Amino acid sequence: MKSVLEVLQSTSAYFAKAGVESPRLNIEHLLAHVLGKSKRMDLYLEFDRPLSERELGPLRDLVRRRAQGEPLQHLLGTVEFLGRTFRSDPRALIPRPETELLAEKILSRFPQPPARVLDVGTGSGILALTLAAQWPEAEVHAVDISESALALAKENALALNLESRVSFHQGSLLEPVTGVFQCLVANLPYVPAGEIAALSREVQRDPVLALDGGPDGTDLIRPLLLSARVHLQGLLALEIGHAQSAPLAVALAEAGYREISQESDYNNRNRFLFAVYG
Ligand SMILES: C[S@@+](CC[C@H](N)C(=O)[O-])C[C@H]1O[C@@H](n2cnc3c(N)ncnc32)[C@H](O)[C@@H]1O
């Protein structure tokens, strides 16, 4: 029988050969998942524990799928986002750590919660649901064009007991919403179409509808910042590709927004735009 440590070591080597990034971290997460441990660090207390065939069977399947490029988050079925657990599967983009930074930046800009909040392109619902949880008095709306992404977002709302706090709407950009919002957040597709084929095999498992931003990546963001003016009296917060920061800041100024700021992600690249309208 193989021990926990032996499985971690042999699978790390296998993952490294198969081109899996952070091989040791990946097998630690998968093994902790199969053993029902809430924290992978718990494995460190059980390095000598022998693993039974009943445990190794499901692990082998997950290891094979990970080596073939299935994202870790899809195999685990969940992802952590600002301290909450969200379901994650191929119906919507896997939430990224940068988007946690966006949520933190938005929260820090409102000493008092805004009355109405809108998340455009909600995907798995992480932004709308995080803001709803942090701002219990706010009325939160979320839009996505994808029916399957919205189904996942609604499952996440139920799992977090936030289903009465967020109204989900299917449609394009601002078409399905009415009224005025004091906070409008959007992490819309921003990958230039020609760059999608070069993305990692894991990112290619995200829905193309969540990635494809047209020729220069701004096909959805530019119309959003124009149409948002009808619905916004407050903060617009955008996650964007770093090459788009400067041209979109110009577009915001031309559209009459003020207090425009370009802000950076963990890699010091400008990935967020904030602006005020109304
Ligand atoms: C980059 S993903 C972001 C998902 C989520 N907000 C997040 O941060 O993880 C972009 C989302 O925008 C949605 N989308 C694409 N085109 C759209 C449109 N015209 N109107 C509304 N949503 C759209 C996609 O279905 C996808 O869920």
Side-chain angles (χ1 to χ4, degrees):
M1 265 199 223
K2 280 192 167 184
S3 68
V4 163
L5 184 59
E6 283 167 335
V7 167
L8 291 179
Q9 288 172 334
S10 60
T11 315
S12 294
Y14 172 63
F15 276 166
K17 268 198 209 136
V20 173
E21 254 184 58
S22 311
R24 173 74 180 226
L25 191 68
N26 272 261
I27 180 55
E28 286 181 359
H29 276 294
L30 291 175
L31 184 53
H33 176 68
V34 164
L35 298 181
K37 309 248 175 244
S38 55
K39 296 190 297 270
R40 72 183 163 85
M41 294 314 277
D42 290 348
L43 298 173
Y44 283 69
L45 305 172
E46 299 188 18
F47 271 166
D48 297 330
R49 176 189 190 285
L51 292 167
S52 68
E53 198 45 45
R54 205 165 46 82
E55 292 164 332
L56 285 172
L59 183 68
R60 277 194 204 101
D61 177 52
L62 293 174
V63 165
R64 179 185 51 76
R65 290 163 62 191
R66 183 68 195 92
Q68 286 170 355
E70 262 188 71
L72 179 67
Q73 296 86 341
H74 288 176
L75 298 174
L76 300 177
T78 56
V79 63
E80 296 296 309
F81 189 85
L82 285 187
R84 292 184 181 81
T85 303
F86 289 81
R87 227 172 258 185
S88 175
D89 65 30
R91 288 177 289 176
L93 185 99
I94 296 170
R96 305 293 204 268
E98 290 77 18
T99 310
E100 288 184 308
L101 191 54
L102 174 66
E104 283 175 335
K105 285 172 179 284
I106 294 168
L107 289 166
S108 73
R109 280 171 174 260
F110 285 92
Q112 298 300 320
R116 295 185 85 225
V117 178
L118 176 61
D119 173 20
V120 183
T122 195
S124 58
I126 42 155
L127 285 167
L129 293 166
T130 298
L131 297 176
Q134 295 295 124
W135 290 331
E137 274 122 59
E139 177 187 324
V140 181
H141 294 258
V143 173
D144 207 291
I145 202 164
S146 156
E147 213 172 300
S148 48
L150 280 174
L152 177 61
K154 287 177 191 168
E155 287 170 22
N156 276 323
L158 268 176
L160 294 165
N161 281 325
L162 290 167
E163 71 276 15
S164 61
R165 296 288 325 289
V166 181
S167 306
F168 293 98
H169 311 266
Q170 192 194 359
S172 184
L173 301 179
L174 298 168
E175 166 223 75
V177 297
T178 54
V180 166
F181 299 87
Q182 289 74 40
C183 174
L184 196 166
V185 51
N187 177 16
L188 283 164
Y190 56 73
V191 182
E195 293 177 17
I196 292 178
L199 296 172
S200 74
R201 56 188 182 165
E202 283 81 3
V203 178
Q204 304 229 20
R205 302 276 183 135
D206 282 321
V208 71
L209 201 55
L211 300 173
D212 188 350
D216 75 346
T218 65
D219 265 14
L220 289 156
I221 301 168
R222 286 182 188 276
L224 175 84
L225 62 87
L226 296 178
S227 56
R229 295 175 299 180
V230 179
H231 293 280
L232 187 60
Q233 263 169 32
L235 183 74
L236 176 69
L238 302 172
E239 182 170 333
I240 52 161
H242 67 98
Q244 297 149 10
S245 184
L248 287 174
V250 171
L252 283 165
E254 285 171 357
Y257 286 80
R258 56 182 204 281
E259 297 173 47
I260 299 161
S261 79
Q262 305 179 51
E263 300 196 14
S264 55
D265 65 7
Y266 300 113
N267 296 316
N268 247 346
R269 295 187 310 181
N270 281 342
R271 292 287 316 288
F272 310 110
L273 278 171
F274 293 89
V276 172
Y277 194 86

